[in-house]
Amino acid sequence: MFSREPDELLVRFTESVSFDQRLALDDIRQSQAHVQMLASVGLLTNDEAARLTHALEQIAEEIRQGQFQFRTELEDVHMNIEQALIDRLGDLGRKLHTARSRNDQVATDLRLWCRRAIDHTCQLIGQLQRAFVRRCDQDWEVILPAYTHLQRAQPVLAAHYWLAYCERLERDRQRLQDAKRRLNQCPLGTAALAGTTLPIDRHLVAQLLEFQEPTANSLDSSADRDFVLECAFALAVLALHLSGWAEEWIIWATGEFGFLQLPQELCTGSSIMPQKINPDPLELIRGKAARVVGNLTTLLVLVKGLPLAYNRDLQEDKPPVFDAFDTINDCLQIATAVVSGAQLDRQRIAEGLECGYLDATALMEYMIRQGVPQRQAHHWVGQLVRLASQQGVPLAQLELEQFRQVWPQADSGVYRVLGVRQALEALKSYGSSGPEQVRQQVQKWKARLGME
Ligand code: ARG
């Protein structure tokens, strides 16, 4: 089979240039650092290095202009660029691959790519966080019911919700930064898998490519794709966070809830039901989480059981990691637009607030402050809620006599803790939704995100 031209199917089956051309500029940057190092240790003359560097720069320019012709029969991005160099410089171009293999080359390119991708995604996370923090001022007066089990639980400031999303996103950002710190080692020069007999300077290359240091074991580092897994995991968790937020806002935008109006220009109508405004962008954010989790799964299974060192399976790592970053970046930008443009329906929210006994916990804690053991207080408030709901009134509308039937020591102080606004304002503990706590957290976020 290989004695003749490889047949078309095999070329198509083995090629990666259709997707790994996204590594092209990182590949060139890497080659330029490699050339500089080869010259510094005497494996190239300064003149040779200058000519190689210049030709690589020309190729980079062609790629940036979209004029470079990637050829499938040259298999991958590395061979395409090397061939272009040979076409320009002849034998001098054939020296570039000294003390290097595509195995360490692709590992290096992908680390460079992921490192940049992480920074870009982290910036987009920051934009979404800023959109939430801007809403905190805008929605400062708004109290929302918060839920557990999707059952009305306690009142919180809308701002408390917005900052909850910020906290989640912050952990996502930190996970990506953490992955970046760990991937910041340079595999270049580990060659095929054992290193090289040539007198290369791996520390210099690492420094030129702004890596922390060279990787320490050639066998490990040509096989290692942990960094790809870590990126994909951090992105999958981020996608799950976005999907939870999207679901929450989809629910809030229903006619039944009516808390939220989504920006019209981001929604679509129905072709047959003229009254409908569908929250498609949110549904797609929720849906795309499946894809990002799928990318993580693909990568996990891809590396399962691979013996050291490089195996061609690893070529399949690129589409899922590229797709995970691309998908998340789109989701983050759409989410930022939705968050910036949505409106809370303050009246509708306020109308429903006194239903659902959101102040029940505040009443229980009032009893506790009067010396009632928590379990007892819980029981009594449960009885009072039943009584009130039989009459179809909020707790604040029960007579003092009725409180006393359940809790003999009740005094008129109960009316100072009942009602959603008073229940909310009485929250005090660190990290709670009490206005003073939330105000401090908003300040913290503004400082952290450089907003003031
Ligand atoms: N295109 C390959 C990849 O992405 C480059 C490394 C190929 N190495 C090899 N020994 N065939 O993994």
Side-chain angles (χ1 to χ4, degrees):
M1 192 176 187
F2 290 105
S3 56
R4 288 181 283 116
E5 287 290 303
D7 74 10
E8 243 177 81
L9 172 62
L10 190 65
V11 170
R12 189 159 56 72
F13 191 68
T14 51
E15 70 88 23
S16 57
V17 69
S18 57
F19 51 86
D20 68 14
Q21 56 181 273
R22 290 183 69 169
L23 300 175
L25 294 176
D26 294 304
D27 197 68
I28 288 181
R29 180 173 177 211
Q30 178 211 131
S31 288
Q32 288 178 326
H34 187 61
V35 163
Q36 194 176 332
M37 181 278 289
L38 291 176
S40 92
V41 300
L43 285 166
L44 289 173
T45 66
N46 286 338
D47 175 60
E48 287 174 325
R51 287 165 59 208
L52 282 164
T53 304
H54 180 67
L56 283 165
E57 190 44 47
Q58 286 179 331
I59 296 170
E61 192 48 32
E62 268 186 36
I63 292 168
R64 280 192 286 266
Q65 303 295 328
Q67 284 157 1
F68 189 86
Q69 289 294 329
F70 287 103
R71 286 158 54 195
T72 311
E73 66 278 16
L74 292 175
E75 199 174 292
D76 61 20
V77 65
H78 322 291
M79 307 264 262
N80 267 271
I81 290 170
E82 191 182 356
Q83 189 57 51
L85 200 62
I86 293 169
D87 291 345
R88 281 177 161 76
L89 302 176
D91 268 348
L92 177 55
R94 294 190 176 88
K95 289 191 173 184
L96 174 68
H97 213 50
T98 303
R100 189 174 83 172
S101 139
R102 277 186 295 158
N103 300 349
D104 55 338
Q105 199 177 347
V106 71
T108 306
D109 287 357
L110 197 52
R111 284 180 192 242
L112 289 170
W113 191 93
C114 286
R115 198 172 64 178
R116 281 189 300 111
I118 286 172
D119 284 340
H120 181 56
T121 299
C122 286
Q123 276 177 16
L124 296 178
I125 292 174
Q127 283 177 19
L128 178 55
Q129 288 175 315
R130 279 189 283 277
F132 277 123
V133 172
R134 274 194 298 276
R135 289 211 70 112
C136 290
D137 290 335
Q138 205 176 308
D139 300 326
W140 183 251
E141 295 301 321
V142 181
I143 300 175
L144 286 169
Y147 301 78
T148 64
H149 314 271
L150 210 54
Q151 303 288 324
R152 292 174 152 246
Q154 287 184 271
V156 298
L157 287 174
H160 202 51
Y161 262 104
W162 309 158
L163 295 187
Y165 299 134
C166 284
E167 293 283 346
R168 291 178 149 192
L169 290 166
E170 187 62 15
R171 289 194 297 278
D172 295 324
R173 202 189 59 76
Q174 288 173 4
R175 261 187 289 274
L176 284 168
Q177 288 299 323
D178 190 42
K180 177 174 146 183
R181 214 169 302 124
R182 225 177 342 272
L183 72 70
N184 206 14
Q185 293 184 326
C186 185
L188 197 63
T190 59
L193 82 172
T196 172
T197 61
L198 296 166
I200 59 170
D201 182 350
R202 292 193 55 214
H203 289 84
L204 176 60
V205 181
Q207 195 191 326
L208 291 170
L209 293 175
E210 292 169 83
F211 284 109
Q212 186 73 34
E213 59 194 351
T215 55
N217 182 301
S218 61
L219 206 50
D220 170 49
S221 67
S222 51
D224 175 23
R225 292 295 182 275
D226 293 4
F227 64 99
V228 178
L229 298 180
E230 289 191 33
C231 288
F233 173 72
L235 295 172
V237 177
L238 171 49
L240 297 179
H241 286 156
L242 292 176
S243 78
W245 159 75
E247 168 70 359
E248 202 143 46
W249 280 33
I250 288 167
I251 293 172
W252 290 1
T254 57
E256 286 73 6
F257 269 70
F259 288 1
L260 195 70
Q261 271 155 22
L262 297 170
Q264 285 260 5
E265 67 280 10
L266 296 178
C267 296
T268 59
S270 154
S271 56
I272 189 164
M273 296 166 286
Q275 85 284 12
K276 292 198 74 185
I277 305 171
N278 295 327
D280 302 47
L282 291 175
E283 294 170 279
L284 283 168
I285 287 173
R286 187 176 59 185
K288 281 178 195 286
R291 194 160 145 174
V292 181
V293 172
N295 289 327
L296 171 61
T297 308
T298 302
L299 288 162
L300 289 168
V301 179
L302 181 67
V303 298
K304 177 192 172 294
L306 287 186
L308 292 171
Y310 179 82
N311 295 277
R312 190 63 180 270
D313 314 44
L314 293 178
Q315 178 167 296
E316 292 288 317
D317 61 358
K318 282 156 223 77
V321 74
F322 291 161
D323 187 68
F325 275 108
D326 291 345
T327 305
I328 281 291
N329 292 346
D330 287 351
C331 289
L332 286 168
Q333 291 174 84
I334 297 289
T336 302
V338 173
V339 170
S340 306
Q343 295 287 340
L344 289 176
D345 188 336
R346 295 174 175 221
Q347 201 184 335
R348 177 83 183 257
I349 293 167
E351 279 164 14
L353 268 184
E354 298 296 344
C355 315
Y357 304 99
L358 299 171
D359 49 359
T361 305
L363 176 60
M364 179 188 76
E365 292 184 344
Y366 177 71
M367 290 184 184
I368 291 172
R369 283 199 298 278
Q370 308 300 310
V372 181
Q374 192 272 347
R375 295 287 183 194
Q376 179 66 69
H378 183 277
H379 180 68
W380 281 343
V381 174
Q383 287 182 316
L384 287 163
V385 166
R386 260 191 306 283
L387 190 66
S389 66
Q390 274 158 15
Q391 297 181 25
V393 295
L395 287 167
Q397 282 177 30
L398 292 176
E399 304 291 334
L400 188 53
E401 257 326 293
Q402 294 177 295
F403 280 103
R404 287 197 175 133
Q405 280 162 21
V406 174
W407 175 29
Q409 287 79 35
D411 57 34
S412 61
V414 292
Y415 298 107
R416 285 198 296 278
V417 299
L418 289 174
V420 162
R421 167 68 55 186
Q422 297 195 110
L424 175 95
E425 283 176 355
L427 293 168
K428 286 195 175 55
S429 56
Y430 178 80
S432 71
S433 194
E436 193 39 45
Q437 285 298 319
V438 178
R439 210 187 314 276
Q440 285 174 22
Q441 293 291 330
V442 172
Q443 286 316 319
K444 179 195 84 179
W445 279 103
K446 283 183 177 171
R448 185 184 278 179
L449 296 168
M451 294 174 73
E452 276 181 346

